[in-house]
Amino acid sequence: MHFRSCVINYPEENIKANLKLGNRSLVILYNKKNAEDEIVLKLTRIKCWKVSGMSSYESGNQVTSQLELSIEYLSGKNKLTAINIQTDQAILISMSIQTMVDEILLKKDGKKMKRPSDRQRVRATQFLTRNKSLVKSGSICQNNESETTSLTSNTNMPDYSKNDLFENEDFITNDDL
């Protein structure tokens, strides 16, 4: 997955770079002395990440907002490196990293990723409407016995009216706290 260009503080401050995510890694592509260079960050070496919002005030009191993705990366033995990526796609990148980490953890446990085709079909449920009609499959059809069945007074359902619905209820007020 390719992302729009961003500003990053790794390996140097304020580098304009492009990001790619896939194959269990985050790839940073940037220009270094008229040659394109790349840094590959393995997802298994990312300790944590967070998305934060930054606001800056420009002339004329205009506010510009920018999202920042901060990553703590284990770059060497016992050496954590803070990598800050300023981009408007920080949330998308974060969610993509989260999905890939979830997939890695599922494979580690010997499980498969769930797909929409793996979902089990749920039977339609029945519920009681306010006018005491029993509804199947989530829709009310007027005068259709196959979809809606009216309940008679012989059922054991209590008859609630608007006035006595909360008649015997004890409420907690702010004075009780």
Side-chain angles (χ1 to χ4, degrees), residues 157-175:
M157 296 295 297
D159 184 24
Y160 292 116
S161 66
K162 291 181 182 178
N163 295 334
D164 64 355
L165 186 59
F166 298 107
E167 185 175 280
N168 297 324
E169 297 290 328
D170 293 328
F171 292 101
I172 298 174
T173 62
N174 288 338
D175 298 333

Side-chain angles (χ1 to χ4, degrees), residues 56-158:
S56 60
Y57 293 95
E58 296 177 358
S59 62
N61 291 332
Q62 282 186 326
V63 179
T64 59
S65 297
Q66 183 73 28
L67 293 175
E68 182 178 75
L69 177 66
S70 302
I71 298 173
E72 287 187 13
Y73 185 73
L74 187 63
S75 58
K77 188 174 183 177
N78 296 329
K79 182 181 178 191
L80 279 175
T81 303
I83 301 171
N84 298 319
I85 303 168
Q86 295 177 6
T87 177
D88 58 340
Q89 292 185 315
I91 296 171
L92 177 62
I93 296 169
S94 174
M95 291 178 68
S96 300
I97 291 172
Q98 182 65 54
T99 302
M100 292 179 75
V101 168
D102 289 344
E103 185 177 343
I104 291 168
L105 292 175
L106 282 173
K107 283 184 179 180
K108 182 181 175 185
D109 292 342
K111 299 178 182 176
K112 289 184 178 181
M113 280 290 287
K114 292 183 181 178
R115 298 173 189 241
S117 61
D118 296 338
R119 293 183 184 164
Q120 294 178 353
R121 302 247 178 207
V122 179
R123 286 181 160 183
T125 58
Q126 297 180 354
F127 60 92
L128 191 62
T129 63
R130 287 185 179 180
N131 66 358
K132 298 180 184 168
S133 296
L134 186 64
V135 178
K136 299 177 186 176
S137 71
S139 64
I140 299 176
C141 298
Q142 300 265 338
N143 299 327
N144 189 346
E145 287 296 320
S146 64
E147 290 290 326
T148 307
T149 307
S150 181
L151 297 178
T152 62
S153 61
N154 294 338
T155 61
N156 293 329
M157 296 295 297

